[in-house]
Amino acid sequence: YLPVAPVDLDSCGAFFMQAELRDVAREIGSQDDRGAFLDILEVDPKNAQAFDNLGSTLRPGESLQLPDGLLLPKKALHLKALELDATHSHAHNNLAVSLGPGEVVTLQGNGVNQRALFQRAVELDPKNAVAHCNLGVVLGDHEVLRTKDGQLWDKRSLYVKAIELDPSYAFAYNNLAVLMAPQEWVRLADGSCWDRRSLYFAALQLDPGYAVAYNNLALSLGFQERVQCLDAFWDRRALHQKALELDPRHCCAYRDLALALRPKETVLLQGGQCHGNVGRREL
């Protein structure tokens, strides 16, 4: 039972969007999950995995009362897991996901931020696909880092590695595609070659509810171009609309849909609201 990784939503000012950071394993657990992990802590109060899994069942800002009566928020549960097991790769990843972009927490007497925690997660478990992807999200566009094994990484190599480690990880396909130029190709370790559009297709086949990937695929099309994906034909406008149907708070998709419309053209969005390319949606 493990958590997943976060997305840089500040990239809304850019053209394409990366996927958000995610916990490793599940995003929000059920009450049954929480009850099971609390039962484990009653029997074994030093079970690091149970603390980390409990943290992964909480939403940001949510707290949970432990069997000893202590009330702990999501971040504190992941911190507790690392106090009990400093080699827990997923707890490093999940603690990082719970932090803000500039936030620092104290771990074993040292101040650490998101990037340091994701890097440590990768070093502790070189097969942690989610941590590789998350480290790519927080790494600068032209930045290179060296892990303890001496290997050098940039954003692209981290996303490629995440896909190679977990070929079903939709977010890594989207994030790699964001970095690629229209005519560029990338080769994976299995010999397969991918261009930007095929990466978006893969992301959507793996996760048909992935709003960011629909919007990004639309941005990769020409204004009159149509593509076949998920047994349907799409143009830019339809893809932007689908992104908004899946995520009505996707501010970039409103902007991009407006840019795809002709002057004075309007579209009907879910909920019956009519919008044009000069309209404004309050979020």
Side-chain angles (χ1 to χ4, degrees), residues 208-264:
Y210 193 177
V212 169
Y214 277 102
N215 202 62
N216 285 347
L217 176 59
L219 293 172
S220 75
L221 300 185
F223 279 98
Q224 303 300 320
E225 194 174 1
R226 287 164 58 87
V227 292
Q228 185 174 9
C229 181
L230 301 177
D231 299 322
F233 285 93
W234 306 81
D235 59 12
R236 288 185 68 154
R237 186 173 73 173
L239 287 163
H240 292 314
Q241 286 181 266
K242 182 64 174 181
L244 289 171
E245 175 187 322
L246 292 166
D247 182 5
R249 298 189 64 81
H250 190 337
C251 59
C252 299
Y254 285 101
R255 174 204 60 194
D256 297 330
L257 175 57
L259 294 173
L261 299 180
R262 294 186 296 272
K264 298 186 179 180

Side-chain angles (χ1 to χ4, degrees), residues 37 117 153 156 170 201 207 226 251:
F37 298 137
L117 288 163
W153 300 91
R156 176 176 303 207
F201 287 158
D207 184 359
R226 287 164 58 87
C251 59

